Amino acid sequence: MRCIALLLAAVLFAVEITALDQKLYGINYTPRKGPDYKPLNKRCSNASEIARDIAQLSKITDRIRIYSMTDCNTADLVIPAVRKAGLNIWVGLWVGANNTVYAQEKASLVKQIKAGLVDNTTLGIHVASEAIYRKDINVSTAIANMLEIKAILNAADIYIPVTVTDIADTYIQYPQLVKAVDIVSANSFPFWELAVAETASQKMYNRMYPLMLSAQKYKKQILISETGWATNGSSAGASLATPQAAATWLNDFYFLAKTVGWDYYWYTSYDTPWRHLQGDNTTAEVENYFGLYFANGTLKPEFTAMNFTKRVKLVTKMPVPTTKALPVAGAVVTATTDVPTTVAATAAPVTAAVVTDAPATTIPVSDVPVVTASVAANATGNTTAPHKKSKILSILEALVRGWMLE
């Protein structure tokens, strides 16, 4: 009997270290495993390694999201692996300051379309990832690129959502981008806003609320294309990075997304220790530790021990902010023609069911900072400096705080 009990314990442990107790909607994945200066076999996962990763990720999600077509031959290797595993895929084209990158990504997309690997079963395509935020391109170029890709797809009788991924601030600042895309693909990290993990879900709701109103105005769904929490490291402007905080955010965001109705892709699958610079305890350091899994493929202990539980009661009654679109020279938006271009300032606010399962914690809305920081990492692991919130957003959040504390 003792031998049987030990055997059962071993089996249960094996299951525990490979899966969560709930499946996530989706997760971000890259075959990149080393910096640019490494040889190909040290820089990029091969086909068998990718197949192993996708098989493992299939235990926690049914959807994979990629950032690039060409980096590490992602399209040629990852898309077939995802399809073979019976999962769905959201495809991304990387866009940088050098237009050559976009041209190469576009050519790879055309190749995948001809091969039948991008078709109407593909979940969607984002054209650029935080390129506007990084100032690699402006909003006009982002919209033009997106419309070009949409035309290529439609010419092949492929009709799937096409969008531009950027930080939520960008979408709030440029509502013409909300109007242009098929779906709002926004990255949002309370981790980069000095949040406390236990109160981060309310903070994220408050932060996203103006975008929720804008999406409602143009009848667009919101996709959280990236959110996550580092389990280690430290950086100025970042929240406390611990395994416990990361597990808390995963738990609470999981239910926040369900409550508000957001689809999402968790950031990210595996740790990226290759980004580490010896003696550098900055952004590049914490960026190593956003994975659910260690780099060796082991699910982190704090996630194996998770029991997803509703524990937060959201405050969803919010004032309606008044914002104006910023002019963008030369912007031509033709993607959406059947939505209103204006709404009254008293338009009905976005509402969401309130989580009421006990035990619940009412989050203080005053926990909204005036200055936030966000860090974007590109497909090759380079990072950009933190950014400050626009004056408009600072004013809006001050109004939120004042209204909720009356």
Side-chain angles (χ1 to χ4, degrees):
M1 291 295 293
R2 180 178 173 82
C3 290
I4 293 174
L6 289 173
L7 179 61
L8 287 173
V11 170
L12 289 173
F13 180 74
V15 171
E16 186 180 48
I17 64 172
T18 59
L20 302 169
D21 78 330
Q22 297 288 336
K23 275 199 168 185
L24 305 181
Y25 177 85
I27 196 163
N28 288 283
Y29 174 77
T30 174
R32 169 75 70 152
K33 65 177 184 179
D36 287 342
Y37 61 82
K38 293 284 188 180
L40 182 64
N41 66 332
K42 298 293 185 180
R43 183 173 76 248
C44 304
S45 298
N46 59 36
S48 62
E49 291 169 329
I50 291 170
R52 175 202 63 204
D53 291 346
I54 299 303
Q56 184 173 54
L57 295 177
S58 70
K59 298 175 183 178
I60 65 168
T61 188
D62 297 321
R63 301 168 187 86
I64 303 294
R65 178 177 177 268
I66 58 176
Y67 295 90
S68 169
M69 306 294 287
T70 60
D71 184 60
C72 286
N73 298 317
T74 297
D76 291 339
L77 297 178
V78 176
I79 296 178
V82 170
R83 284 179 169 270
K84 185 176 181 180
L87 304 183
N88 297 305
I89 191 163
W90 183 284
V91 172
L93 278 68
W94 189 259
V95 176
N98 184 346
N99 193 54
T100 302
V101 174
Y102 170 61
Q104 293 171 343
E105 295 277 310
K106 181 170 58 176
S108 178
L109 174 65
V110 171
K111 174 184 174 183
Q112 300 303 319
I113 291 172
K114 290 179 178 178
L117 292 173
V118 171
D119 57 20
N120 283 300
T121 66
T122 302
L123 295 174
I125 294 180
H126 65 268
V127 186
S129 180
E130 298 192 359
I132 302 171
Y133 160 65
R134 292 193 309 273
K135 302 186 185 303
D136 286 347
I137 57 175
N138 60 27
V139 175
S140 300
T141 300
I143 293 173
N145 290 346
M146 183 203 70
L147 293 176
E148 180 182 23
I149 295 302
K150 190 167 185 174
I152 291 171
L153 292 167
N154 292 351
D157 289 326
I158 299 173
Y159 304 96
I160 57 178
V162 186
T163 187
V164 175
T165 293
D166 219 288
I167 62 173
D169 286 5
T170 297
Y171 269 104
I172 294 170
Q173 189 175 10
Y174 299 106
Q176 60 267 46
L177 187 61
V178 179
K179 183 179 179 182
V181 299
D182 293 331
I183 185 172
V184 175
S185 178
N187 296 346
S188 183
F189 287 82
F191 176 80
W192 290 114
E193 298 173 3
L194 294 174
V196 176
E198 288 76 11
T199 61
S201 59
Q202 185 69 58
K203 181 184 291 288
M204 183 170 182
Y205 182 90
N206 295 353
R207 243 355 223 104
M208 291 290 295
Y209 187 72
L211 181 54
M212 294 164 68
L213 291 179
S214 183
Q216 181 190 56
K217 171 183 175 180
Y218 293 111
K219 301 179 182 178
K220 302 296 172 68
Q221 179 185 350
I222 291 178
L223 170 71
I224 303 299
S225 35
E226 290 182 23
T227 194
W229 200 285
T231 57
N232 201 353
S234 63
S235 174
S239 303
L240 182 64
T242 67
Q244 295 78 15
T248 296
W249 176 235
L250 176 58
N251 179 87
D252 291 355
F253 173 77
Y254 175 85
F255 290 106
L256 168 63
K258 280 183 173 292
T259 299
V260 183
W262 293 332
D263 293 339
Y264 63 89
Y265 290 87
W266 185 258
Y267 181 84
T268 185
S269 307
Y270 300 96
D271 277 352
T272 54
W274 51 270
R275 287 179 174 169
H276 178 68
L277 300 176
Q278 191 66 36
D280 180 14
N281 195 32
T282 62
T283 296
E285 176 78 14
V286 294
E287 284 285 358
N288 298 342
Y289 302 110
F290 275 86
L292 282 179
Y293 296 86
F294 292 114
N296 66 6
T298 302
L299 189 62
K300 294 178 180 178
E302 286 70 24
F303 298 129
T304 69
M306 282 184 63
N307 179 15
F308 283 85
T309 305
K310 292 181 182 178
R311 61 167 210 92
V312 173
K313 183 177 181 179
L314 290 173
V315 177
T316 58
K317 182 183 177 183
M318 303 281 285
V320 179
T322 302
T323 60
K324 294 182 179 180
L326 298 184
V328 178
V332 178
V333 179
T334 59
T336 305
T337 58
D338 60 346
V339 295
T341 56
T342 59
V343 293
T346 56
V350 175
T351 58
V354 176
V355 180
T356 57
D357 292 23
T361 303
T362 301
I363 308 303
V365 181
S366 58
D367 185 33
V368 181
V370 175
V371 178
T372 63
S374 176
V375 174
N378 69 19
T380 60
N382 297 323
T383 57
T384 63
H387 75 290
K388 290 188 177 180
K389 184 184 308 180
S390 69
K391 290 183 179 178
I392 292 175
L393 290 176
S394 298
I395 293 170
L396 290 177
E397 291 189 346
L399 290 173
V400 169
R401 291 197 304 275
W403 177 83
M404 293 302 298
L405 293 174
E406 287 181 352

